[in-house]
Amino acid sequence: MSNNRYRILVKGIVQKGNRFLAVEKWYDDNIADPYQWEFIDGEAEFGESPDAAVVRVIQEQTGLAVVVDRILYTWTFMIGSECNLGLTYLCITDMDEDSVLLSEELHDAKWITGEQFEEYINNKRMLDDLEKAELY
């Protein structure tokens, strides 16, 4: 009998025109800058498709309605005996940029261009993946 455990994580990069929604969230009081800029992310619920999960997570965290454009890249990592599978989606919104209503776990939001990714995103591996996906 197998005890394999999988968790499906989703990341949504929301695009409107030539700009993308970056959100600032709290990570850890034990680091110099506890707030970090990121894209919307969350976890698929049991039985929920990843496509539906990313749309739900974006709506819950920002109030924006989006449609999935495509998967940009995937990633995996292990925590103990749990395998985490992540899918990063490009999602499109036609809502007004001022319509963003952040959930309590998010600190701030900015609409940035692809050329500004390196100014806000500190995760080098994510930046490499975004470059391979030709977002900047």
Side-chain angles (χ1 to χ4, degrees), residues 29 93 107 109 115-116 127:
D29 278 336
T93 188
H107 184 255
E115 291 78 27
Q116 293 175 299
L127 288 170

Side-chain angles (χ1 to χ4, degrees), residues 71-116:
I71 294 175
L72 295 173
Y73 62 90
T74 63
W75 77 96
T76 59
F77 63 93
M78 298 291 295
I79 297 179
S81 62
E82 179 180 78
C83 181
N84 293 270
L85 168 65
L87 299 104
T88 299
Y89 288 86
L90 179 63
C91 298
I92 309 299
T93 188
D94 62 3
M95 294 181 69
D96 186 81
E97 292 179 1
D98 295 332
S99 299
V100 175
L101 296 170
L102 296 177
S103 63
E104 288 184 13
E105 62 264 13
L106 298 177
H107 184 255
D108 198 2
K110 287 186 182 188
W111 290 93
I112 63 174
T113 64
E115 291 78 27
Q116 293 175 299

Side-chain angles (χ1 to χ4, degrees), residues 40-43 49-50 63 75 80 98 102 126:
I40 304 299
D41 60 10
E43 184 175 349
S49 77
W75 77 96
D98 295 332
L102 296 177
M126 184 189 308

Side-chain angles (χ1 to χ4, degrees), residues 28-58:
D28 188 347
D29 278 336
N30 297 319
I31 57 177
D33 185 9
Y35 290 99
Q36 304 273 320
W37 288 96
E38 249 283 4
F39 299 107
I40 304 299
D41 60 10
E43 184 175 349
E45 296 173 354
F46 183 77
E48 182 180 38
S49 77
D51 288 20
V54 75
V55 169
R56 174 187 53 80
V57 166
I58 291 168

Side-chain angles (χ1 to χ4, degrees), residues 8 11 18 75 123:
I8 299 173
K11 184 178 299 291
N18 68 341
W75 77 96
N123 183 328

Side-chain angles (χ1 to χ4, degrees), residues 5 9-10 20 26 29-30 34 38 41 45 53 58 67-68 71 80-81 83 113 117 119 131 134:
R5 250 184 63 80
L9 306 174
V10 293
F20 303 88
W26 177 85
D29 278 336
N30 297 319
E38 249 283 4
D41 60 10
E45 296 173 354
I58 291 168
V67 294
V68 169
I71 294 175
S81 62
C83 181
T113 64
F117 285 168
E119 293 175 40
E131 188 172 16
E134 300 179 353

